[in-house]
Amino acid sequence: MQIQKLRNIIESIKEKDDGSKVIVAYSGGLDSTVLLHLLVKNRGMFDAQIRAIHINHSLQQPSDGWAEHCRDFCRAIDVPLQVVKLDIKPQAGESMEIAARNARYSVFEENLKDGGFICMAHHANDQVETFFQRLMRGSGVKGLTAIPQTRRLGNGHIFRPLLEVSRNDLHKYAVAYNLNWIEDPSNKHNCHDRNLIRNEIIPQLEQRWPSLSKTIARTVSHCNEAQEILEEVAAADLSDCSEGGLISLQKLSRFSEKRQKNLLRYWIDQRQMLPPEAAMLEDGLANLKSAAEDKNPQLLWEYGVIRRYRGRLYLSGQKEAPQILEREWDLREDLCLSGIGRLYMEKTQKGEVGINPYRIADMQIRVAFRQGGEKCRLYGRNGSHSLKKIFQEQGVPPWQREILPLLYVGENIVCVTNCCYCQPYAEKDNLGGRFYNIKIEWS
């Protein structure tokens, strides 16, 4: 590998180093072996701790042996290694490949809950293969940007510092340092699309066009520029259509159909979700706009759902009602509700109604969910009111009513998250910053 390329890789890592942690996704193959060795060899240039994570998908017979190889290598170079063994069970209609990817990235996201970034060893040849694979699928501009160097994942980032380095250069580096790596026998099986592209199609194209990789890299760069323009337009359109984090269908309909689809893709991407296929998006959007007023249409796909209610679109990664368990909460730290979202507290602004902390002092706060028949005394109103009536008045969507967290003191409702506050615990903050707002960020 050329000295300049090595320097570029190290500099790119240093730019991303936030002083927290650098985790290498280490499969034991050539690419990740070189990346891990390169970082460890230059670890004096980083403030962050370098460690590795190996995902054992348990899909091939020698997978346990591969995990042991990774342990041996990391022990030899003095790098902490976490081995995660998965038991992958695809859901109905889900391929094993997609299920494995989702499980793998869930592990990565869990490791980034306190920030930092995971380095992955995708290289220039992977970029070319991905371009052709997506081209054959009929991908649009975003898909043809192929593999991004950086993207957000949970509270951290995925980073790929080798994207401009060829597989040949990685091989030369490994030989020069006498490194050992795993050869996955499945890479030779051309029944897989990527292997066919790598083993058969690209070599033939390179015989005719030796500069194939550079040419495709230039095309990817053009696609990236075009995608940036599309995202700028979508961001402006989303700002025009947004109403409290939702999309006004009336405002959306002012745009052309192409801009509507571009906006929805951008909206979905901002929530770190993969969008539906083009035909599904087109049909789903048409249904969301044309369904009768008394209907609650939805666009449902593998990674999420868009629902319509009272002229607004709601986006959620949640497709089925999760298992709901009540629990205690001290309000000081965010509370993650599995399959629902993140419950958090923030101080009230001047003039807002919130929970007066003195009225719940030394009391145990309990988070529970609707069972049916609940009533509460709304702040500023006389008498008790049923949650059913409150939900209708406040326009709470039907699918959220059973999973909207309720805060209790004893048997009394203190507040209905994102909806209302109850007597005698609520009060208007005439100064600002004195009381509590309870909110949820949906999954």
Side-chain angles (χ1 to χ4, degrees), residues 287-405:
N287 185 42
L288 289 168
K289 293 190 295 183
S290 64
E293 287 296 323
D294 60 343
K295 303 295 182 182
N296 294 314
Q298 62 181 29
L299 165 56
L300 178 66
W301 75 101
E302 184 176 0
Y303 298 99
V305 57
I306 297 177
R307 298 179 174 96
R308 189 193 78 187
Y309 182 67
R310 294 189 179 182
R312 293 179 175 86
L313 299 183
Y314 293 74
L315 171 62
S316 174
Q318 172 201 313
K319 294 171 285 185
E320 298 178 357
Q323 182 180 8
I324 295 174
L325 300 173
E326 66 175 58
R327 65 200 65 189
E328 295 178 349
W329 185 34
D330 66 4
L331 305 186
R332 289 177 294 182
E333 295 184 358
D334 295 357
L335 180 64
C336 291
L337 301 171
S338 179
I340 299 176
R342 177 177 65 92
L343 195 62
Y344 64 99
M345 180 272 288
E346 65 182 22
K347 292 296 182 69
T348 49
Q349 300 293 317
K350 183 178 180 179
E352 284 186 330
V353 174
I355 299 172
N356 187 329
Y358 296 105
R359 297 182 182 178
I360 59 171
D362 301 323
M363 296 182 180
Q364 186 64 57
I365 300 294
R366 178 169 54 94
V367 178
F369 300 87
R370 186 185 182 196
Q371 301 297 316
E374 293 89 350
K375 293 185 176 183
C376 68
R377 297 169 56 207
L378 287 181
Y379 174 82
R381 291 170 63 172
N382 296 322
S384 296
H385 303 268
S386 70
L387 282 191
K388 180 178 180 180
K389 182 177 181 181
I390 292 170
F391 287 156
Q392 291 172 341
E393 290 179 354
Q394 297 289 332
V396 177
W399 64 89
Q400 288 183 359
R401 296 175 186 179
E402 305 305 316
I403 60 172
L404 201 60

Side-chain angles (χ1 to χ4, degrees), residues 68-102:
E68 196 57 40
H69 166 90
C70 293
R71 288 191 182 96
D72 291 342
F73 183 73
C74 287
R75 195 177 299 118
I77 61 174
D78 192 25
V79 168
L81 173 69
Q82 176 188 5
V83 175
V84 180
K85 189 169 184 176
L86 301 178
D87 180 18
I88 300 169
K89 297 177 181 178
Q91 297 179 0
E94 184 179 47
S95 69
M96 180 61 76
E97 182 182 7
I98 292 295
R101 182 189 185 280
N102 291 342

Side-chain angles (χ1 to χ4, degrees), residues 102-119:
N102 291 342
R104 181 168 64 250
Y105 275 81
S106 291
V107 174
F108 291 160
E109 185 170 353
E110 175 64 22
N111 275 267
L112 293 174
K113 63 183 180 182
D114 297 321
F117 59 96
I118 288 181
C119 283

